[in-house]
Amino acid sequence: MMNAEVFVISNSLSILTPPDSFPAKWRRGPVQFLRFGRFRSGAVRVPAAGEVPPGIMERRRVAGRVWAEVRLKPVGIPDSGASAESSSVGLRNTSNDAVLALEVEADGGGGEASTAAWWEQFPKRWVIVILCFSAFLLLNMDRVNMSIAILPMSKEFNWNPSTVGLIQSSFFCGYLLTQVAGGILADTIGGKSVLGFGVVWWSMATALTPVAAKMGLPVLLVVRAFMGIGEGVAMPAMTNMLSKWIPVSERSRSLALVYSGMSLGSVTGLVFSPMLIHLYGWPSVFYSFGSLGSIWFAVWLRKAYSSPLEDPELRPEEKKLLIACSSVSKEPVKIIPWGLILSKPPVWALIVSHFCHNWGTFILLTWMPTYYHQVLKFNLTDSGLVCVLPWLTMAFSANLGGWIADTLISKGLSVTKVRKIMQTVGFLGPAFFLTQLSHVDSPAMAILCMACSQGTDAFSQSGLYSNHQDIAPRYSGILLGLSNTAGVLAGVFGTAATGYILQHGSWDNVFEVSVGLYLVGTVVWNLFSTGEKIID
C-alpha cells in the first residue's frame, strides 16, 4: 500500500470527508492514476514555506482521510521503475484546470498503511443482512420460549394437551392477520418502519405474557395473538428490504443467513429458557427475552434504510451495484396487481408448497420439547438442551445450502433448476427422516433423525423462501405475505391438530401427516415453480 500527502490547491476541487467510497485496487510502488477514476490520499497537510509552487493562491488543511472525485488526466507520471522513495505527480482537472501536487511515498513494509478500517469497508448491504439476522434471532427466541415454559405453566394452571394446543395456536391467529398486511405496508412505505414496528410490538407482548397468564386463559390467548401480530410482519418486511439491498448472485446466501437467525434463536431460547426457569421461575423467560427488542430497535433506527437510495452513507460503488443488480426503484408501489399475481401458476406453487412445508416445521418448533419430555423421558432442562442439536444442524445446513445455490447460479445453472433442486431436498429429506422415527429404539437415534430432518429442511431457504424475490422482486413483500399466510394456516391447524391427535392417537400419526404433505409439496413445486421474473 502507499502513503500519500496531498496539497489541496484549488477551491473548486471537491473534497469529501469522511470518505464515501473505496478504490477497487491498490498496489505497491508509484501511484497509478486512471482516467475518470478515483484516487485516495492519506492525510492532507499545509505545505511548508517554499514548497508551494508559484502562482498558487490557496492552501487548505483537512483533518483525517480525504477522498476527491475528479476527472483526471495524467501529467508526467513517473516511470514504473522510478525511485520508490519520493516522487511528485501533477494532475490536471479537465473541467477547470485546477492542479493537484501529490507527494507519494511507497511503503516498503515499515510504513503505516493508509487503508481504511475494516468496518468502514464492510458492505452496507451485509450490515442490513446482519440486522435482519438479529431480528429473526429475537423472533424465534421469543416464540420458542413458550414451548419450554408451557411445561411448568401447564402444571401450575392445570392445562390439558388440548388447552396447550389452543395456547400455542393462538399465536398463529395473530400471526396470520398481518402477513399480507405486512407485505403491503413494506412494499408501499418501506421495510424499515414495518420491521421496526414488528420487533417492538412482539417484544412488548412477550414481556406481558406472565401477567396475562395469571389474569386468566382468555387474556393469555389475546396477548399471544398480539405477539403473533408483531411477528407476522417480520418476514414480508425483511423480504422487501433484501429484494432492494441484495443482488441475485448473493440472494441465497443472504436469505440463508437471515433465516438461520431463526434457527439460532431457537437454540438460544431452548438453551437459556430452562436455565432461567430453574433459577428464577418461568416468568423470567418472558421478561428477559422481551427486553432485548429495545436494544435491537435502537441500532436499527440508526443503521437501517429501506432502500439504498435512502442511505446517505452508502458508498457510490455499492449503490451503483445495487441499483444495477437488485429491484431498487425510485417509485414506491402504489397499485397492487392482484389479478395478475393470483393468475400465475408459480405463485400458487409457492402458496401450496409453503403450506406443506410449514405444517411439519411448526410442529417441530412448538411440540418437540414435549416430544422429548414425554417420549424420550428427558427432564425439563434436558428437553431444552437436546432440542439444540436439530436447530444447530438447521443453521449450518441453511448457510451451506445458500452457498451451494449461489455457486450453482454463478456457474451458469438456471435459477429455476437451482430452486427446484434445493426445495426438493427441503421436502424429501425431512420426509425420509421422519419416517425413520417410528423404527428407532434409542433416544440418541431419535435425536439424530430429528437433526437430519431439520438439516435437510433448511435447504428450503434457498428454494421456496428465495423464490419470491425471483419471480416478483417489486412485490416480494406482498408475495411472501400471501404464501406465508398459507404457511401460518398450516401452523394454526397443524399445531392444534397435533394436540387432538395426541389425545386420540400417537406421535407416529403426527409424523405421518407431515410426511404426506411433504410429498404433495414436492410434486407441486417441481411441476409449477420457476426462477424467472414473471411480474415486473
Side-chain angles (χ1 to χ4, degrees), residues 333-387:
V333 173
K334 296 180 180 179
I335 299 175
I336 301 168
W338 290 109
L340 178 63
I341 291 173
L342 295 175
S343 67
K344 301 294 185 179
V347 172
W348 287 101
L350 266 175
I351 293 172
V352 173
S353 298
H354 212 144
F355 180 93
C356 296
H357 173 267
N358 276 27
W359 183 284
T361 299
F362 278 126
I363 288 174
L364 294 177
L365 177 67
T366 56
W367 280 98
M368 279 307 96
T370 304
Y371 172 79
Y372 289 127
H373 181 65
Q374 293 181 351
V375 178
L376 303 183
K377 306 303 180 183
F378 289 112
N379 60 35
L380 175 62
T381 302
D382 290 336
S383 181
L385 293 175
V386 169
C387 282

Side-chain angles (χ1 to χ4, degrees), residues 2-4 29-30 78 80-88 103-108:
M2 289 171 293
N3 298 326
S80 59
S83 171
E85 293 181 3
S86 179
S87 60
S88 294
E103 193 173 81
V104 181
E105 180 182 352
D107 183 4

Side-chain angles (χ1 to χ4, degrees), residues 128-309:
I128 300 297
V129 170
I130 291 171
L131 285 171
C132 290
F133 163 86
S134 59
F136 277 54
L137 182 82
L138 294 177
L139 181 145
N140 257 29
M141 284 177 62
D142 291 341
R143 184 189 300 180
V144 79
N145 57 14
M146 177 59 86
S147 65
I148 295 292
I150 199 72
L151 298 174
M153 290 173 73
S154 60
K155 291 182 179 179
E156 180 176 335
F157 299 109
N158 296 317
W159 294 332
N160 59 36
S162 294
T163 302
V164 170
L166 181 62
I167 293 170
Q168 300 277 40
S169 63
S170 64
F171 164 87
F172 296 109
C173 293
Y175 193 66
L176 174 66
L177 294 177
T178 51
Q179 291 297 315
V180 176
I184 293 172
L185 288 172
D187 287 345
T188 53
I189 70 173
K192 176 181 178 177
S193 299
V194 178
L195 184 54
F197 158 81
V199 173
V200 171
W201 185 273
W202 88 58
S203 297
M204 292 175 59
T206 299
L208 290 173
T209 298
V211 177
K214 293 176 181 179
M215 292 178 67
L217 182 60
V219 179
L220 177 60
L221 295 177
V222 170
V223 169
R224 293 296 295 175
F226 270 43
M227 181 182 171
I229 288 173
E231 293 202 359
V233 304
M235 289 179 64
M238 178 276 297
T239 300
N240 169 272
M241 290 195 66
L242 294 196
S243 71
K244 294 176 171 60
W245 277 97
I246 303 297
V248 65
S249 60
E250 299 174 356
R251 181 169 296 161
S252 298
R253 281 173 289 172
S254 63
L255 283 168
L257 179 60
V258 171
Y259 283 120
S260 68
M262 298 178 71
S263 302
L264 294 176
S266 297
V267 170
T268 305
L270 293 169
V271 168
F272 286 99
S273 293
M275 297 180 184
L276 290 170
I277 291 171
H278 178 73
L279 293 173
Y280 306 109
W282 62 264
S284 64
V285 175
F286 300 99
Y287 295 141
S288 57
F289 285 12
S291 65
L292 297 176
S294 59
I295 301 173
W296 177 91
F297 185 64
V299 179
W300 180 253
L301 285 179
R302 182 179 178 184
K303 294 294 185 181
Y305 294 89
S306 294
S307 166
L309 298 175

Side-chain angles (χ1 to χ4, degrees), residues 423-435 449 452-457 518 522:
Q423 190 54 50
T424 299
V425 175
F427 276 141
L428 296 185
F432 172 77
F433 289 108
L434 287 180
T435 59
C449 285
C452 292
S453 173
Q454 290 187 261
T456 51
D457 177 279
Y518 280 139
T522 303

Side-chain angles (χ1 to χ4, degrees), residues 89-113:
V89 179
L91 295 178
R92 184 172 300 278
N93 184 314
T94 57
S95 61
N96 56 24
D97 289 339
V99 175
L100 289 180
L102 284 94
E103 193 173 81
V104 181
E105 180 182 352
D107 183 4
E112 183 179 4

